[in-house]
Amino acid sequence: MSSKILEQNNFLSPLFYAASEGIIICNKKGEIVAMNPMGCTIFGYEEGELIGRDLETLLPDAIKKMHKGLRNAYFEKPEVRPMGLGKEFIAQKKSKEVFYVEVSISHMMIEDEFHVAAFVNDITKRKNVELQVVKQQQLLEYYADYAPAAIAMLDKDLTYLIASNRWKKTLGVTVNLEGKTIQETLPNFQQRWYEVFDKVLKGDKSGVQMDYIDRVDLSNIWIEWEAHPWYNSDNQINGIIIFAEDVTERVENEQKVKQYMQELILKNRELEDFAYVSSHDLQEPLRKIRAFGDRLSKKEKENLSPKGQDYINRMLNSAERMQQLITDLLRFSRISSKAKPFEEINLNEVLRDVISDLEIAINESEAVIRTVELPTIKGDITQLRQLFQNLISNAIKFRNEDTAPQIRIDSSFDETKPNEIEISISDNGIGFDDKYSERIFQIFQRLEGRKYNGSGIGLAICKKITQRHGGDITASSQIGKGTTFTFTLRTDLEEE
């Protein structure tokens, strides 16, 4: 049948055999009457093998019935469907392999009978590429939607290719953004962003940016964002990927904390000033109490009854404790208010001066002090002397009655903190319950009551000094087995 048609229509023969696409001709019954060599190659049949068989032989069973309906409808109302506007079908080879084809059709009269010519292209490779692109697109959209940051993918013209749900929520939009430009979704698009994006399109990363932006609903938020170039399969930059996060709550909290800290600093200064002024003003009436108390004790002692003499002694003892308390309170308030500028200080010299000042107490208690070489740091020399003196004095004062104090001073560096020195002062004294290791640094805290002299301010002073020098202080102890105070100091701190 095929050769007969071609003999009667010899002008078709060169086109039919030389065509680079498959050509299938069928009659009004849907029977194949001719198939060119390329058609046979596409479907895997021998020449002439399909003549007289239904066109649906070339389709999977699942769509044969549907195709017959389409074929009959076309025969009733035929029209030309040119290539490029052709339908895509799933076809089937002789081997039962399923593949994708694009089919364009035209009709013709042969021997006064209606026939249809189908022009077929195997588009399997193209379709697989498209499916792969769709799959990658779906994976990318899935990743974008479930990533912890808001993500937008733009082309070179800053037009959206992908916008994650988190991105749309961040910008306050509900419509699809694909095809729109980023400028359309940011009412206050800033000129400097063009400069950032231009650098990214040249291969740079934007680095972390922080901006206060207007959203589509005209509300405002803080966003932290970063832009990277993205590359196509040819390793060429095809656009920009933006990662963003709404940090409004964090920024507002930071601002609140900053404001709170400023208020706290102001309150602390007010309290320190109050403590300084109060302590300073208390000294004059206290001096008078002690002076007149001493006169009564020395000049009028014989005229007083034993009970009166006892009252005078108690008054003088209380006045002495009050004097010590005022002195320590002044020292505490002066750590910030009367602080000296930082300078280079050799801690070995500081320690030698402190040991010299405590010579009488050391000799009377038969204390033994062992130390290692200490570094040179920047700090306030007066305060650092006070720090060492308070801790060593405590080690001597809180000793066991039947044991001479053994005091060990060590220092060490942590490689992860090269600008920080750690110093420990250990003793074999009476110790304390470790549950009080934080409480002892609070002002006026005294675990031993009045058994030992002191105001309860010394360790609070130590903590304040270490903090001013960029560090802190901790304590560990066991009752009857001694205490270790460990404090850190920055070695390179220019000022508090």
Side-chain angles (χ1 to χ4, degrees), residues 243-297:
F243 304 88
E245 182 179 3
D246 181 351
V247 293
T248 306
E249 185 176 352
R250 190 190 79 192
V251 172
E252 290 177 349
N253 287 339
E254 288 174 353
Q255 291 173 342
K256 289 178 182 177
V257 169
K258 186 175 180 181
Q259 182 180 357
Y260 173 76
M261 289 301 295
Q262 290 173 337
E263 292 174 355
L264 188 61
I265 289 170
L266 180 61
K267 293 293 184 184
N268 280 338
R269 286 179 178 169
E270 290 175 353
L271 286 172
E272 288 168 358
D273 290 343
F274 173 76
Y276 177 76
V277 171
S278 299
S279 302
H280 187 272
D281 290 347
L282 284 172
Q283 291 199 78
E284 183 58 32
L286 183 60
R287 276 195 292 267
K288 289 183 178 179
I289 292 172
R290 295 188 69 185
F292 287 115
D294 284 338
R295 291 178 187 177
L296 281 173
S297 178

CSV table of all heavy atoms in Angstrom, one decimal, residues 243-297:
chain,number,residue,atom,x,y,z
A,243,PHE,N,19.8,34.8,51.4
A,243,PHE,CA,19.4,34.2,52.7
A,243,PHE,C,19.1,35.3,53.7
A,243,PHE,O,20.0,36.2,53.9
A,243,PHE,CB,20.5,33.2,53.3
A,243,PHE,CG,21.0,32.2,52.3
A,243,PHE,CD1,22.0,32.5,51.4
A,243,PHE,CD2,20.4,30.9,52.3
A,243,PHE,CE1,22.4,31.5,50.5
A,243,PHE,CE2,20.8,30.0,51.4
A,243,PHE,CZ,21.8,30.2,50.5
A,244,ALA,N,17.9,35.3,54.3
A,244,ALA,CA,17.6,36.4,55.2
A,244,ALA,C,16.9,35.8,56.4
A,244,ALA,O,16.4,34.7,56.5
A,244,ALA,CB,16.6,37.3,54.5
A,245,GLU,N,16.9,36.6,57.5
A,245,GLU,CA,16.3,36.3,58.7
A,245,GLU,C,15.7,37.5,59.4
A,245,GLU,O,16.4,38.6,59.4
A,245,GLU,CB,17.3,35.6,59.7
A,245,GLU,CG,16.7,35.1,61.0
A,245,GLU,CD,17.7,34.5,61.9
A,245,GLU,OE1,18.9,34.5,61.6
A,245,GLU,OE2,17.3,34.0,63.0
A,246,ASP,N,14.5,37.4,59.9
A,246,ASP,CA,13.8,38.5,60.6
A,246,ASP,C,14.4,38.5,62.0
A,246,ASP,O,14.2,37.6,62.8
A,246,ASP,CB,12.3,38.3,60.6
A,246,ASP,CG,11.6,39.4,61.4
A,246,ASP,OD1,12.2,40.2,62.0
A,246,ASP,OD2,10.3,39.4,61.3
A,247,VAL,N,15.2,39.6,62.3
A,247,VAL,CA,15.8,39.6,63.6
A,247,VAL,C,15.3,40.8,64.4
A,247,VAL,O,16.0,41.3,65.3
A,247,VAL,CB,17.4,39.8,63.4
A,247,VAL,CG1,18.0,38.5,62.8
A,247,VAL,CG2,17.7,41.0,62.6
A,248,THR,N,14.1,41.2,64.1
A,248,THR,CA,13.5,42.4,64.8
A,248,THR,C,13.4,42.1,66.3
A,248,THR,O,13.8,43.0,67.1
A,248,THR,CB,12.0,42.6,64.3
A,248,THR,OG1,12.1,42.7,62.8
A,248,THR,CG2,11.4,43.9,64.9
A,249,GLU,N,12.9,41.0,66.7
A,249,GLU,CA,12.8,40.7,68.1
A,249,GLU,C,14.2,40.7,68.8
A,249,GLU,O,14.3,41.3,69.9
A,249,GLU,CB,12.2,39.3,68.3
A,249,GLU,CG,11.9,39.0,69.8
A,249,GLU,CD,11.2,37.7,70.0
A,249,GLU,OE1,10.7,37.1,69.0
A,249,GLU,OE2,11.0,37.2,71.1
A,250,ARG,N,15.2,40.1,68.2
A,250,ARG,CA,16.5,40.1,68.7
A,250,ARG,C,17.1,41.6,68.9
A,250,ARG,O,17.6,41.9,69.9
A,250,ARG,CB,17.5,39.3,67.9
A,250,ARG,CG,18.8,39.1,68.5
A,250,ARG,CD,19.8,38.5,67.5
A,250,ARG,NE,20.3,39.5,66.6
A,250,ARG,CZ,21.0,39.2,65.5
A,250,ARG,NH1,21.1,37.9,65.1
A,250,ARG,NH2,21.5,40.1,64.8
A,251,VAL,N,16.9,42.4,67.8
A,251,VAL,CA,17.4,43.7,67.9
A,251,VAL,C,16.7,44.5,68.9
A,251,VAL,O,17.3,45.3,69.7
A,251,VAL,CB,17.2,44.4,66.5
A,251,VAL,CG1,17.6,45.9,66.6
A,251,VAL,CG2,18.1,43.7,65.5
A,252,GLU,N,15.4,44.4,69.0
A,252,GLU,CA,14.6,45.1,70.0
A,252,GLU,C,15.0,44.7,71.5
A,252,GLU,O,15.1,45.5,72.4
A,252,GLU,CB,13.1,44.9,69.8
A,252,GLU,CG,12.6,45.6,68.6
A,252,GLU,CD,11.1,45.4,68.3
A,252,GLU,OE1,10.6,44.4,69.0
A,252,GLU,OE2,10.5,46.0,67.5
A,253,ASN,N,15.3,43.4,71.6
A,253,ASN,CA,15.7,42.9,72.9
A,253,ASN,C,17.1,43.5,73.3
A,253,ASN,O,17.4,43.8,74.4
A,253,ASN,CB,15.7,41.4,73.0
A,253,ASN,CG,14.3,40.8,73.0
A,253,ASN,OD1,13.4,41.5,73.4
A,253,ASN,ND2,14.2,39.5,72.6
A,254,GLU,N,18.0,43.5,72.3
A,254,GLU,CA,19.3,44.0,72.5
A,254,GLU,C,19.2,45.5,72.9
A,254,GLU,O,20.0,46.0,73.7
A,254,GLU,CB,20.2,43.9,71.2
A,254,GLU,CG,20.6,42.4,71.0
A,254,GLU,CD,21.3,42.3,69.6
A,254,GLU,OE1,21.3,43.3,68.9
A,254,GLU,OE2,21.8,41.2,69.4
A,255,GLN,N,18.3,46.2,72.2
A,255,GLN,CA,18.2,47.7,72.5
A,255,GLN,C,17.6,47.8,74.0
A,255,GLN,O,18.1,48.7,74.7
A,255,GLN,CB,17.2,48.3,71.5
A,255,GLN,CG,17.8,48.4,70.1
A,255,GLN,CD,16.9,48.9,69.1
A,255,GLN,OE1,15.6,48.9,69.3
A,255,GLN,NE2,17.4,49.4,68.0
A,256,LYS,N,16.7,46.9,74.3
A,256,LYS,CA,16.2,47.0,75.7
A,256,LYS,C,17.2,46.7,76.7
A,256,LYS,O,17.4,47.3,77.8
A,256,LYS,CB,15.0,46.0,75.9
A,256,LYS,CG,13.7,46.4,75.1
A,256,LYS,CD,12.7,45.4,75.3
A,256,LYS,CE,11.4,45.8,74.5
A,256,LYS,NZ,10.4,44.7,74.6
A,257,VAL,N,18.1,45.6,76.4
A,257,VAL,CA,19.1,45.3,77.3
A,257,VAL,C,20.2,46.4,77.4
A,257,VAL,O,20.6,46.7,78.5
A,257,VAL,CB,19.8,44.0,76.8
A,257,VAL,CG1,21.1,43.7,77.6
A,257,VAL,CG2,18.9,42.8,77.0
A,258,LYS,N,20.5,47.0,76.3
A,258,LYS,CA,21.4,48.1,76.3
A,258,LYS,C,20.9,49.3,77.2
A,258,LYS,O,21.6,49.9,78.0
A,258,LYS,CB,21.6,48.6,74.9
A,258,LYS,CG,22.7,49.7,74.8
A,258,LYS,CD,23.0,50.0,73.3
A,258,LYS,CE,24.1,51.1,73.2
A,258,LYS,NZ,24.3,51.5,71.8
A,259,GLN,N,19.6,49.6,77.0
A,259,GLN,CA,19.0,50.6,77.8
A,259,GLN,C,19.0,50.3,79.3
A,259,GLN,O,19.3,51.1,80.1
A,259,GLN,CB,17.6,50.9,77.3
A,259,GLN,CG,16.8,52.0,78.1
A,259,GLN,CD,15.4,52.2,77.6
A,259,GLN,OE1,15.0,51.6,76.6
A,259,GLN,NE2,14.7,53.2,78.2
A,260,TYR,N,18.7,49.0,79.5
A,260,TYR,CA,18.7,48.5,80.9
A,260,TYR,C,20.1,48.6,81.5
A,260,TYR,O,20.2,49.0,82.7
A,260,TYR,CB,18.2,47.1,81.0
A,260,TYR,CG,18.3,46.4,82.3
A,260,TYR,CD1,17.4,46.7,83.4
A,260,TYR,CD2,19.3,45.5,82.6
A,260,TYR,CE1,17.5,46.2,84.6
A,260,TYR,CE2,19.4,44.9,83.8
A,260,TYR,CZ,18.5,45.2,84.8
A,260,TYR,OH,18.6,44.7,86.1
A,261,MET,N,21.1,48.2,80.7
A,261,MET,CA,22.4,48.3,81.2
A,261,MET,C,22.9,49.7,81.5
A,261,MET,O,23.6,50.0,82.5
A,261,MET,CB,23.4,47.6,80.2
A,261,MET,CG,23.3,46.1,80.1
A,261,MET,SD,23.6,45.3,81.7
A,261,MET,CE,25.3,45.7,81.9
A,262,GLN,N,22.5,50.6,80.6
A,262,GLN,CA,22.8,52.0,80.9
A,262,GLN,C,22.1,52.5,82.2
A,262,GLN,O,22.8,53.3,82.9
A,262,GLN,CB,22.4,52.9,79.7
A,262,GLN,CG,23.2,52.6,78.4
A,262,GLN,CD,22.6,53.3,77.2
A,262,GLN,OE1,21.5,53.7,77.1
A,262,GLN,NE2,23.5,53.6,76.2
A,263,GLU,N,20.9,52.1,82.3
A,263,GLU,CA,20.2,52.5,83.6
A,263,GLU,C,20.8,51.9,84.8
A,263,GLU,O,21.0,52.5,85.8
A,263,GLU,CB,18.7,52.1,83.5
A,263,GLU,CG,17.9,52.9,82.5
A,263,GLU,CD,16.5,52.4,82.3
A,263,GLU,OE1,16.2,51.3,83.0
A,263,GLU,OE2,15.7,53.0,81.5
A,264,LEU,N,21.3,50.6,84.6
A,264,LEU,CA,21.9,49.9,85.7
A,264,LEU,C,23.2,50.6,86.1
A,264,LEU,O,23.6,50.7,87.3
A,264,LEU,CB,22.1,48.4,85.4
A,264,LEU,CG,22.6,47.5,86.5
A,264,LEU,CD1,21.6,47.5,87.6
A,264,LEU,CD2,22.8,46.1,85.9
A,265,ILE,N,24.0,50.9,85.1
A,265,ILE,CA,25.3,51.6,85.3
A,265,ILE,C,25.1,52.9,86.1
A,265,ILE,O,25.8,53.2,87.0
A,265,ILE,CB,26.0,51.8,84.0
A,265,ILE,CG1,26.5,50.5,83.4
A,265,ILE,CG2,27.2,52.8,84.2
A,265,ILE,CD1,27.0,50.6,82.0
A,266,LEU,N,24.0,53.6,85.6
A,266,LEU,CA,23.7,54.9,86.3
A,266,LEU,C,23.3,54.7,87.7
A,266,LEU,O,23.8,55.4,88.6
A,266,LEU,CB,22.6,55.6,85.5
A,266,LEU,CG,22.2,57.0,86.1
A,266,LEU,CD1,23.3,58.0,86.0
A,266,LEU,CD2,21.0,57.5,85.3
A,267,LYS,N,22.5,53.7,88.0
A,267,LYS,CA,22.1,53.4,89.3
A,267,LYS,C,23.3,52.9,90.2
A,267,LYS,O,23.4,53.4,91.4
A,267,LYS,CB,21.0,52.2,89.3
A,267,LYS,CG,19.7,52.6,88.7
A,267,LYS,CD,19.0,53.7,89.5
A,267,LYS,CE,17.6,54.0,88.9
A,267,LYS,NZ,16.9,55.1,89.7
A,268,ASN,N,24.1,52.1,89.6
A,268,ASN,CA,25.3,51.7,90.4
A,268,ASN,C,26.2,52.9,90.7
A,268,ASN,O,26.7,52.9,91.8
A,268,ASN,CB,26.1,50.7,89.5
A,268,ASN,CG,25.5,49.3,89.6
A,268,ASN,OD1,24.8,49.0,90.5
A,268,ASN,ND2,25.8,48.5,88.6
A,269,ARG,N,26.3,53.8,89.8
A,269,ARG,CA,27.2,55.0,90.1
A,269,ARG,C,26.5,55.8,91.2
A,269,ARG,O,27.2,56.3,92.1
A,269,ARG,CB,27.3,55.8,88.8
A,269,ARG,CG,28.3,55.2,87.8
A,269,ARG,CD,28.5,56.0,86.6
A,269,ARG,NE,29.4,55.4,85.7
A,269,ARG,CZ,29.6,55.8,84.4
A,269,ARG,NH1,28.9,56.8,83.9
A,269,ARG,NH2,30.5,55.2,83.7
A,270,GLU,N,25.2,55.9,91.1
A,270,GLU,CA,24.5,56.6,92.1
A,270,GLU,C,24.7,56.0,93.5
A,270,GLU,O,24.9,56.7,94.5
A,270,GLU,CB,23.0,56.7,91.8
A,270,GLU,CG,22.7,57.7,90.6
A,270,GLU,CD,21.2,57.6,90.2
A,270,GLU,OE1,20.5,56.8,90.8
A,270,GLU,OE2,20.8,58.4,89.4
A,271,LEU,N,24.6,54.6,93.5
A,271,LEU,CA,24.8,53.9,94.8
A,271,LEU,C,26.2,54.0,95.3
A,271,LEU,O,26.4,54.2,96.5
A,271,LEU,CB,24.5,52.4,94.6
A,271,LEU,CG,23.0,52.1,94.4
A,271,LEU,CD1,22.8,50.6,94.0
A,271,LEU,CD2,22.2,52.4,95.8
A,272,GLU,N,27.2,54.0,94.4
A,272,GLU,CA,28.6,54.2,94.8
A,272,GLU,C,28.8,55.5,95.3
A,272,GLU,O,29.5,55.7,96.3
A,272,GLU,CB,29.5,53.9,93.6
A,272,GLU,CG,29.5,52.4,93.2
A,272,GLU,CD,30.2,52.1,91.9
A,272,GLU,OE1,30.6,53.1,91.2
A,272,GLU,OE2,30.4,51.0,91.5
A,273,ASP,N,28.2,56.5,94.6
A,273,ASP,CA,28.4,57.9,95.1
A,273,ASP,C,27.7,58.1,96.5
A,273,ASP,O,28.3,58.7,97.4
A,273,ASP,CB,27.8,58.9,94.1
A,273,ASP,CG,28.5,59.0,92.8
A,273,ASP,OD1,29.7,58.6,92.8
A,273,ASP,OD2,28.0,59.5,91.8
A,274,PHE,N,26.6,57.4,96.6
A,274,PHE,CA,25.9,57.5,97.9
A,274,PHE,C,26.7,56.8,99.0
A,274,PHE,O,26.9,57.4,100.1
A,274,PHE,CB,24.5,56.8,97.8
A,274,PHE,CG,23.8,56.7,99.1
A,274,PHE,CD1,23.2,57.8,99.7
A,274,PHE,CD2,23.8,55.5,99.8
A,274,PHE,CE1,22.5,57.7,100.9
A,274,PHE,CE2,23.1,55.4,101.0
A,274,PHE,CZ,22.5,56.5,101.6
A,275,ALA,N,27.3,55.6,98.7
A,275,ALA,CA,28.1,54.9,99.7
A,275,ALA,C,29.3,55.8,100.0
A,275,ALA,O,29.7,55.8,101.2
A,275,ALA,CB,28.5,53.6,99.1
A,276,TYR,N,29.9,56.4,99.0
A,276,TYR,CA,31.1,57.2,99.3
A,276,TYR,C,30.8,58.4,100.2
A,276,TYR,O,31.5,58.6,101.2
A,276,TYR,CB,31.7,57.7,97.9
A,276,TYR,CG,32.9,58.6,98.1
A,276,TYR,CD1,34.2,58.0,98.5
A,276,TYR,CD2,32.8,59.9,98.0
A,276,TYR,CE1,35.3,58.8,98.7
A,276,TYR,CE2,33.9,60.8,98.1
A,276,TYR,CZ,35.1,60.2,98.5
A,276,TYR,OH,36.2,61.0,98.7
A,277,VAL,N,29.7,59.1,99.8
A,277,VAL,CA,29.4,60.3,100.5
A,277,VAL,C,29.0,60.0,101.9
A,277,VAL,O,29.4,60.6,102.9
A,277,VAL,CB,28.3,61.1,99.8
A,277,VAL,CG1,27.7,62.2,100.7
A,277,VAL,CG2,28.8,61.7,98.5
A,278,SER,N,28.1,58.9,102.0
A,278,SER,CA,27.6,58.5,103.4
A,278,SER,C,28.8,58.0,104.2
A,278,SER,O,28.9,58.4,105.4
A,278,SER,CB,26.6,57.3,103.2
A,278,SER,OG,25.5,57.7,102.4
A,279,SER,N,29.7,57.2,103.7
A,279,SER,CA,30.8,56.8,104.5
A,279,SER,C,31.7,57.9,104.9
A,279,SER,O,32.2,58.0,106.0
A,279,SER,CB,31.6,55.7,103.7
A,279,SER,OG,30.8,54.6,103.3
A,280,HIS,N,31.9,58.8,104.0
A,280,HIS,CA,32.8,60.0,104.3
A,280,HIS,C,32.2,60.8,105.3
A,280,HIS,O,32.9,61.3,106.3
A,280,HIS,CB,33.0,60.8,103.0
A,280,HIS,CG,34.0,61.9,103.1
A,280,HIS,ND1,33.7,63.1,103.6
A,280,HIS,CD2,35.4,61.9,102.9
A,280,HIS,CE1,34.7,63.9,103.6
A,280,HIS,NE2,35.8,63.2,103.2
A,281,ASP,N,30.9,61.1,105.2
A,281,ASP,CA,30.2,61.9,106.2
A,281,ASP,C,30.1,61.3,107.6
A,281,ASP,O,30.0,62.0,108.6
A,281,ASP,CB,28.8,62.3,105.7
A,281,ASP,CG,28.9,63.3,104.5
A,281,ASP,OD1,30.0,63.8,104.2
A,281,ASP,OD2,27.8,63.4,103.8
A,282,LEU,N,30.1,60.0,107.6
A,282,LEU,CA,30.0,59.3,108.9
A,282,LEU,C,31.2,59.3,109.7
A,282,LEU,O,31.2,59.1,110.9
A,282,LEU,CB,29.6,57.8,108.6
A,282,LEU,CG,28.1,57.5,108.3
A,282,LEU,CD1,27.9,56.1,107.9
A,282,LEU,CD2,27.2,57.9,109.5
A,283,GLN,N,32.4,59.5,109.0
A,283,GLN,CA,33.6,59.5,109.7
A,283,GLN,C,33.8,60.5,110.8
A,283,GLN,O,34.4,60.3,111.8
A,283,GLN,CB,34.8,59.5,108.7
A,283,GLN,CG,34.9,58.3,107.8
A,283,GLN,CD,36.2,58.1,107.2
A,283,GLN,OE1,37.2,57.7,107.8
A,283,GLN,NE2,36.3,58.5,105.9
A,284,GLU,N,33.3,61.7,110.5
A,284,GLU,CA,33.5,62.8,111.5
A,284,GLU,C,32.8,62.6,112.8
A,284,GLU,O,33.4,62.7,113.8
A,284,GLU,CB,33.1,64.2,110.8
A,284,GLU,CG,33.3,65.4,111.7
A,284,GLU,CD,34.8,65.6,112.1
A,284,GLU,OE1,35.7,65.2,111.2
A,284,GLU,OE2,35.1,66.0,113.2
A,285,PRO,N,31.5,62.3,112.8
A,285,PRO,CA,30.9,62.0,114.1
A,285,PRO,C,31.5,60.8,114.7
A,285,PRO,O,31.5,60.7,116.0
A,285,PRO,CB,29.4,61.8,113.7
A,285,PRO,CG,29.3,61.5,112.3
A,285,PRO,CD,30.5,62.3,111.7
A,286,LEU,N,31.9,59.8,113.9
A,286,LEU,CA,32.5,58.6,114.5
A,286,LEU,C,33.8,58.9,115.2
A,286,LEU,O,34.1,58.4,116.3
A,286,LEU,CB,32.7,57.5,113.4
A,286,LEU,CG,33.3,56.2,113.9
A,286,LEU,CD1,32.3,55.5,114.9
A,286,LEU,CD2,33.5,55.3,112.7
A,287,ARG,N,34.6,59.8,114.6
A,287,ARG,CA,35.9,60.2,115.2
A,287,ARG,C,35.6,60.9,116.6
A,287,ARG,O,36.3,60.7,117.6
A,287,ARG,CB,36.6,61.2,114.3
A,287,ARG,CG,37.5,60.5,113.3
A,287,ARG,CD,38.5,61.5,112.7
A,287,ARG,NE,37.8,62.5,111.9
A,287,ARG,CZ,37.6,62.4,110.5
A,287,ARG,NH1,38.0,61.3,109.9
A,287,ARG,NH2,37.0,63.3,109.9
A,288,LYS,N,34.5,61.7,116.6
A,288,LYS,CA,34.2,62.3,117.9
A,288,LYS,C,33.8,61.3,119.0
A,288,LYS,O,34.1,61.4,120.1
A,288,LYS,CB,33.1,63.3,117.7
A,288,LYS,CG,33.5,64.6,116.9
A,288,LYS,CD,32.4,65.6,116.8
A,288,LYS,CE,32.9,66.8,116.1
A,288,LYS,NZ,31.8,67.9,115.9
A,289,ILE,N,33.0,60.3,118.5
A,289,ILE,CA,32.6,59.3,119.5
A,289,ILE,C,33.8,58.5,120.0
A,289,ILE,O,33.9,58.3,121.3
A,289,ILE,CB,31.6,58.2,118.8
A,289,ILE,CG1,30.3,58.9,118.4
A,289,ILE,CG2,31.4,57.0,119.6
A,289,ILE,CD1,29.3,58.1,117.6
A,290,ARG,N,34.7,58.2,119.1
A,290,ARG,CA,35.9,57.5,119.6
A,290,ARG,C,36.8,58.4,120.5
A,290,ARG,O,37.4,57.9,121.5
A,290,ARG,CB,36.7,57.0,118.4
A,290,ARG,CG,36.0,55.9,117.6
A,290,ARG,CD,36.9,55.3,116.5
A,290,ARG,NE,37.9,54.5,117.1
A,290,ARG,CZ,38.9,53.9,116.4
A,290,ARG,NH1,39.0,54.1,115.1
A,290,ARG,NH2,39.8,53.2,117.0
A,291,ALA,N,36.9,59.7,120.1
A,291,ALA,CA,37.8,60.6,120.8
A,291,ALA,C,37.2,60.8,122.3
A,291,ALA,O,38.0,60.7,123.2
A,291,ALA,CB,37.9,61.9,120.1
A,292,PHE,N,35.9,61.1,122.4
A,292,PHE,CA,35.3,61.3,123.7
A,292,PHE,C,35.3,60.0,124.5
A,292,PHE,O,35.4,60.0,125.7
A,292,PHE,CB,33.9,61.9,123.6
A,292,PHE,CG,34.0,63.4,123.2
A,292,PHE,CD1,33.5,63.8,122.0
A,292,PHE,CD2,34.5,64.3,124.1
A,292,PHE,CE1,33.5,65.2,121.6
A,292,PHE,CE2,34.6,65.6,123.7
A,292,PHE,CZ,34.1,66.1,122.5
A,293,GLY,N,35.1,58.9,123.8
A,293,GLY,CA,35.1,57.6,124.4
A,293,GLY,C,36.5,57.3,125.0
A,293,GLY,O,36.6,56.8,126.2
A,294,ASP,N,37.5,57.6,124.3
A,294,ASP,CA,38.9,57.4,124.8
A,294,ASP,C,39.2,58.3,126.0
A,294,ASP,O,39.8,57.9,127.0
A,294,ASP,CB,39.9,57.7,123.7
A,294,ASP,CG,40.0,56.6,122.7
A,294,ASP,OD1,39.6,55.5,123.0
A,294,ASP,OD2,40.4,56.9,121.5
A,295,ARG,N,38.7,59.5,126.0
A,295,ARG,CA,38.9,60.4,127.1
A,295,ARG,C,38.2,59.9,128.4
A,295,ARG,O,38.7,59.9,129.5
A,295,ARG,CB,38.4,61.8,126.8
A,295,ARG,CG,39.2,62.5,125.7
A,295,ARG,CD,38.6,63.9,125.4
A,295,ARG,NE,39.3,64.5,124.3
A,295,ARG,CZ,39.0,65.7,123.8
A,295,ARG,NH1,38.0,66.4,124.3
A,295,ARG,NH2,39.7,66.2,122.8
A,296,LEU,N,36.9,59.5,128.2
A,296,LEU,CA,36.2,58.9,129.3
A,296,LEU,C,36.9,57.7,129.9
A,296,LEU,O,37.0,57.5,131.1
A,296,LEU,CB,34.8,58.5,128.9
A,296,LEU,CG,33.7,59.6,128.7
A,296,LEU,CD1,32.5,59.0,128.1
A,296,LEU,CD2,33.4,60.2,130.1
A,297,SER,N,37.4,56.9,129.0
A,297,SER,CA,38.1,55.6,129.4
A,297,SER,C,39.4,56.0,130.2
A,297,SER,O,39.7,55.3,131.2
A,297,SER,CB,38.4,54.8,128.2
A,297,SER,OG,39.1,53.6,128.6
